[in-house]
């Protein structure tokens, strides 16, 4: 779902390898807002919905955070190198 008036993008993964055996789904929400210096701030919220009382291993959460950090850095580097990108 895209909300262009509030600059929000939301999607949910409901199947695939990313879910492991413990997860029912994973939801992501990205919000873009203006920063005081004229740039943008992007906030991402990730929600993990487990099956029953399943617990996610710390190693899984750490690996997901590292992947997210690398992806965010790659997008940031690209946008800084291409300031005219629309």
């Amino acid at each position: 779902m895209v909300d262009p008036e509030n600059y929000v993008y939301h999607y949910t993964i409901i199947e695939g390898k990313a879910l492991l055996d413990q997860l029912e789904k994973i939801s992501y929400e990205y919000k873009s807002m203006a920063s005081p210096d004229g740039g943008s701030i992007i906030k991402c919220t990730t929600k993990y919905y487990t099956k029953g009382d399943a617990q996610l291993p710390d190693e899984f959460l750490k690996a997901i955070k590292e992947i997210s950090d690398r992806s965010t850095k790659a997008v940031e580097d690209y946008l800084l190198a291409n300031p005219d990108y629309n």
Side-chain angles (χ1 to χ4, degrees):
M1 173 182 79
V2 176
D3 180 349
E5 292 180 17
N6 295 307
Y7 302 104
V8 175
Y9 173 68
H10 177 91
Y11 69 97
T12 301
I13 297 174
I14 58 171
E15 62 184 2
K17 292 182 181 181
L19 295 182
L20 304 175
D21 290 332
Q22 300 97 332
L23 291 169
E24 177 184 329
K25 64 183 176 180
I26 305 171
S27 291
Y28 299 90
E29 181 177 87
Y30 293 88
K31 292 182 182 181
S32 178
M33 58 201 79
S35 67
D37 64 358
S40 297
I41 297 172
I42 307 275
K43 292 189 177 186
C44 175
T45 302
T46 305
K47 294 181 182 178
Y48 299 96
Y49 296 86
T50 58
K51 294 178 182 176
D53 294 333
Q55 297 292 314
L56 297 174
D58 288 339
E59 299 83 26
F60 172 80
L61 296 173
K62 182 179 177 185
I64 292 297
K65 183 178 181 336
E66 289 174 4
I67 291 168
S68 177
D69 290 348
R70 284 195 308 265
S71 297
T72 300
K73 180 72 171 130
V75 170
E76 179 183 37
D77 290 348
Y78 179 84
L79 292 174
L80 288 172
N82 298 280
D84 296 327
Y85 178 78
N86 287 336

